[in-house]
Amino acid sequence: MVVHIRREQDIATARQVVKNFAQENGFSLSDVTKATTAVSELARNIYRYAGTGSVCLRRTTRDRGTPGLEIVAVDRGPGIPDVARVLSGGFSTYERSLGIGLAGVRRLMDEFEIRSEPGAGTLVRAAKYRRGF
């Protein structure tokens, strides 16, 4: 499933899609909240820094078939010149931001990867896996 981010309202759509997906696939309330918060940060970054982009969501598995959800957020915006600095938290080029968004996404999700090239855009892949009971 793909949510195109073109307007601020699309952030809410991406949140709702991830929330529904996680709930329908048996994620705990805590993990639904974490995944929803993560996608909100990723979609907001696309809207704020690149203007447009997309958030892709798909079912995935790991290890012995543990179900999960994978989020891929991609844009062709200005890119991030110093990814390590951004991931350390507290750095942002947006004056009204605390600069904790991407660092927070990394903490909330079980897997996190980022590729960014200045002038070409950014791709973030994050995954959350359903916990056993």
Side-chain angles (χ1 to χ4, degrees), residues 6-67:
R6 298 182 185 112
R7 305 168 298 144
E8 192 167 13
Q9 297 89 328
D10 297 332
I11 299 166
T13 301
R15 284 181 58 91
Q16 192 62 49
V17 166
V18 168
K19 180 180 178 183
N20 292 346
F21 184 91
Q23 288 176 330
E24 290 166 6
N25 286 281
F27 282 74
S28 69
L29 177 59
S30 172
D31 285 343
V32 169
T33 303
K34 289 175 182 176
T36 303
T37 301
V39 80
S40 180
E41 290 292 336
L42 295 172
R44 183 161 303 283
N45 281 352
I46 290 171
Y47 179 73
R48 182 177 285 165
Y49 299 106
T52 61
S54 61
V55 174
C56 306
L57 173 70
R58 73 176 186 100
R59 184 174 295 141
T60 187
T61 60
R62 79 171 173 188
D63 300 334
R64 288 165 265 164
T66 303

Side-chain angles (χ1 to χ4, degrees), residues 98-114:
L98 297 175
I100 56 175
L102 285 175
V105 171
R106 184 169 64 172
R107 283 191 304 272
L108 292 170
M109 302 298 280
D110 297 322
E111 295 177 1
F112 178 87
E113 301 171 40
I114 183 169

